Amino acid sequence: MRVYVPLTLPGLAEAHKTGELGSSGPLAAYAVTPGLREWYVSEDVEELEYAALGRAALASLRLLAADPAAPRRRVVVAVDVPDGAATADPDRALDPAALGEVRVGGPVRLAKAAAVHADADDAEADVTAAAEALPAADAGDDDAQFVVDGAEDHELLWFAPQEIAGLVGSGG
């Protein structure tokens, strides 16, 4: 099963150093869950995985909002875990904020990463604004939501796992 792990550049640097994702407890991630399938109303696996990646990118933005010192670039690691290793909370299945959310019970070797997705440098201004607007957007402010959505206008770039060292060296 492919899961998408939201991080920041410092979080990716730490995972690169330790060789693991989630070494401090259950790992929050996003995946194609039944709730995500129902919400997205598609059977196209690529579209569904892209939707899960988008949910993880939003979670990465939340991590950035909580860590003002982190470089303003969203980071998502796509990693393959055994079927059954990732579980969705059935009590939150229909909660719009939890669509696609899963927990991976233990650490995952970074060597299992299929790819890393991260913002380009030119996204930093929009990502910074989005991270600052996130609390107001969550409170229902439409103008703030427009700013948050502006970060989504930037496609995350694809990086091979071998490129992680260079990626974290450039800002982590």
Side-chain angles (χ1 to χ4, degrees), residues 40-101:
Y40 200 75
V41 192
S42 175
E43 289 302 315
D44 184 314
V45 174
E46 285 185 24
E47 284 183 18
L48 290 165
E49 287 188 353
Y50 187 75
L53 172 64
R55 302 293 296 170
L58 179 58
S60 176
L61 184 65
R62 291 186 182 290
L63 294 173
L64 290 173
D67 183 1
R72 308 281 92 180
R73 292 173 66 192
R74 298 167 298 163
V75 176
V76 176
V77 177
V79 63
D80 295 318
V81 299
D83 288 342
T87 56
D89 182 346
D91 294 332
R92 296 191 61 193
L94 298 177
D95 178 353
L99 288 171
E101 189 177 89

Side-chain angles (χ1 to χ4, degrees), residues 93-154:
L94 298 177
D95 178 353
L99 288 171
E101 189 177 89
V102 295
R103 293 272 182 251
V104 179
V108 175
R109 303 256 327 126
L110 190 57
K112 299 277 187 189
V116 175
H117 303 273
D119 280 310
D121 291 338
D122 67 356
E124 287 188 34
D126 288 338
V127 171
T128 298
E132 291 170 358
L134 199 53
D138 286 345
D141 183 321
D142 290 337
D143 292 334
Q145 186 62 52
F146 182 78
V147 173
V148 170
D149 293 344
E152 293 176 15
D153 291 342
H154 294 276

